[in-house]
Amino acid sequence: MKKTIAIACGDITQLGGIERVVCNFSENLIEFGGYDVIIISVNSNEGLPTYNLSSKVKLIHLGIKKSKSLLKRCFSYIGAVKNICEICRKNYVDIIIGTAAGLNIILYFVKKKNLIKIACEHSNYDYLAFYASLVRRFVYTKLNAVVLLTQKDAENYNFCKNATVIPNTFFSHTKSFSDLQNNVVMSAGRFHKVKGFDLLIESVSLIKDKCADWKFKIFGDGDEKENLVKMVVQKNLENIIEIMPATKNIEKEYCKSSIYVLSSRHEPFGLVLLEAKSCGLPIVSFDCPNGPAEIIRDGIDGILVKNGDVEALSQAILKLIENPRLRRQYGQEAIKDVERFSPKRVFEMWEKLFADLIKER
């Protein structure tokens, strides 16, 4: 009998990493597993996802106002528990998956006979405040499973005997690759301090005289945009760095670039790294907690430098700019390696988890 899986997320209509993962994951569940899939978008009132989503997915908006405080958010989500319980009952949901700490915590209160409840973490372990962390520590042990993105992050969850590691996957709608001929270095993400675009700008300022014929394009949107634009002007980098709007067709930009740079202070996984590798881009990245080191093979398909070391980042970028042969070598290796994160391979990990949990039920 076909099973139904519900995925609870904050606001599926937003442009962001978790939203992209949820859309990709939903398509994989349908394509490879034949599941019925429901997305419960807790904070939105209406609208469609920014990313491609199968028409077979049922989308339900709850319209709960989001608070900046995690604890207040959890309390507001408690009001959504009744709605989620009703959704699970009416749609005969077998498995429900949360995608953030607040949502994962309220799964504890969702009651339905034989319902399998899975918490999925997409942020670093230490991003929660102390009391919220204590609540998480209690609740996660009561759920059926906790899914983490990296082996490194799993070390923080040794209190959870139900924890397992399943990486994110990428979902390519094209088979295009970069020819690595354009003098373009790109980066993309939410314009937030944690993404470290200020550090990228600083690193470019150190090598601007040696890469004057190159363009650095940073795609995204967010609260830090104005500060980043000002920083570019202050450092006289207007002719080199372009702050670009977020784009729905990011693959097109990968294929027009020759190097990808990740300058995050923290990066739980780094879906953009998989996408860049799948398009054949060599990568330069800070070795920040916790994802890049599990995606990039240093000296094989990219370069990892000490976290926060702006000088090292600038020199690694310059190394690839000045060495087209090395760019091609790394790019070819990137395409080969990304297969370990392919949709089918990652789905098989989820399918095994589902099967094990159903047996235990």
Side-chain angles (χ1 to χ4, degrees):
M1 182 178 175
K2 185 186 291 188
K3 296 198 177 295
T4 300
I5 296 177
I7 305 170
C9 67
D11 183 350
I12 196 63
T13 67
Q14 289 189 341
L15 194 71
I18 292 178
E19 293 75 26
R20 192 183 317 172
V21 167
V22 169
C23 291
N24 289 350
F25 185 39
S26 298
E27 294 204 17
N28 293 345
L29 290 171
I30 293 169
E31 180 180 355
F32 299 121
Y35 292 99
D36 287 329
V37 178
I38 300 169
I39 293 177
I40 303 172
S41 185
V42 176
N43 300 122
S44 57
N45 292 298
E46 59 182 0
L48 295 173
T50 301
Y51 305 100
N52 291 320
L53 183 66
S54 170
S55 59
K56 295 179 181 179
V57 175
K58 184 174 184 178
L59 179 56
I60 300 174
H61 301 274
L62 296 187
I64 303 296
K65 188 175 180 181
K66 183 177 180 178
S67 169
K68 292 184 178 180
S69 163
L70 179 64
L71 285 179
K72 288 182 180 178
R73 191 153 67 242
C74 287
F75 282 119
S76 68
Y77 285 171
I78 294 298
V81 168
K82 184 179 179 181
N83 291 334
I84 295 175
C85 289
E86 186 176 349
I87 290 168
C88 290
R89 285 193 296 269
K90 282 187 175 180
N91 294 277
Y92 303 100
V93 172
D94 301 283
I95 301 168
I96 186 166
I97 301 170
T99 55
L103 295 169
N104 295 333
I105 288 170
I106 69 165
L107 292 186
Y108 174 75
F109 301 97
V110 176
K111 304 300 180 184
K112 176 185 174 291
K113 187 177 180 181
N114 293 328
L115 179 65
I116 293 172
K117 296 182 276 191
I118 302 174
C120 192
E121 274 287 352
H122 292 275
S123 299
N124 290 305
Y125 175 77
D126 56 1
Y127 80 103
L128 290 184
F130 176 72
Y131 291 110
S133 180
L134 289 180
V135 173
R136 175 181 61 183
R137 192 178 183 91
F138 169 77
V139 168
Y140 279 21
T141 61
K142 307 299 180 183
L143 302 179
N144 297 94
V146 177
V147 174
L148 308 165
L149 297 178
T150 66
Q151 295 292 343
K152 188 68 176 177
D153 202 35
E155 295 174 7
N156 297 309
Y157 289 84
N158 53 18
F159 60 90
C160 286
K161 293 181 180 179
N162 56 348
T164 189
V165 175
I166 302 178
N168 280 332
T169 185
F170 66 99
F171 196 96
S172 177
H173 292 276
T174 72
K175 294 295 181 183
S176 301
F177 304 101
S178 171
D179 62 11
L180 306 183
Q181 295 298 310
N182 294 326
N183 288 3
V184 177
V185 178
M186 74 165 285
S187 190
R190 183 166 44 100
F191 290 158
H192 186 280
K193 184 177 179 180
V194 74
K195 295 298 182 180
F197 292 122
D198 57 321
L199 302 179
L200 175 55
I201 294 170
E202 184 67 37
S203 72
V204 175
S205 73
L206 300 178
I207 56 172
K208 63 181 180 181
D209 295 334
K210 297 180 180 179
C211 59
D213 57 342
W214 280 68
K215 290 288 185 184
F216 289 75
K217 295 185 177 182
I218 305 174
F219 294 86
D221 201 3
D223 297 339
E224 284 293 305
K225 181 176 182 178
E226 186 177 339
N227 291 335
L228 295 176
V229 171
K230 286 181 180 178
M231 188 175 180
V232 169
V233 173
Q234 289 169 354
K235 293 188 175 294
N236 298 315
L237 295 171
E238 303 99 307
N239 294 328
I240 299 178
I241 297 178
E242 297 180 17
I243 305 297
M244 309 290 290
T247 174
K248 295 180 182 180
N249 194 358
I250 194 69
E251 282 186 346
K252 181 179 178 182
E253 302 302 331
Y254 292 132
C255 293
K256 293 193 298 184
S257 304
S258 295
I259 301 169
Y260 188 89
V261 178
L262 187 140
S263 54
S264 297
R265 291 174 167 87
H266 302 278
E267 192 66 50
F269 186 75
L271 185 61
V272 289
L273 299 179
L274 294 187
E275 294 172 338
K277 287 181 73 168
S278 73
C279 292
L281 289 186
I283 297 172
V284 175
S285 173
F286 284 137
D287 187 8
C288 61
N290 283 315
E294 297 193 25
I295 298 174
I296 301 165
R297 297 174 298 164
D298 186 33
I300 298 176
D301 53 30
I303 303 173
L304 286 169
V305 303
K306 183 180 177 182
N307 192 24
D309 190 335
V310 173
E311 172 68 27
L313 188 73
S314 67
Q315 291 306 307
I317 295 170
L318 190 60
K319 182 178 181 178
L320 289 182
I321 284 176
E322 295 178 340
N323 196 332
R325 180 181 293 182
L326 188 62
R327 289 204 304 271
R328 289 194 297 272
Q329 177 186 324
Y330 282 4
Q332 290 167 2
E333 289 295 332
I335 293 170
K336 294 177 188 176
D337 183 63
V338 79
E339 177 59 27
R340 64 191 169 105
F341 301 100
S342 69
K344 193 170 190 308
R345 186 167 293 188
V346 172
F347 172 77
E348 288 170 355
M349 299 180 192
W350 278 101
E351 186 78 323
K352 182 181 184 304
L353 175 63
F354 295 155
D356 291 343
L357 294 177
I358 289 169
K359 283 181 185 178
E360 292 174 5
R361 188 180 63 181

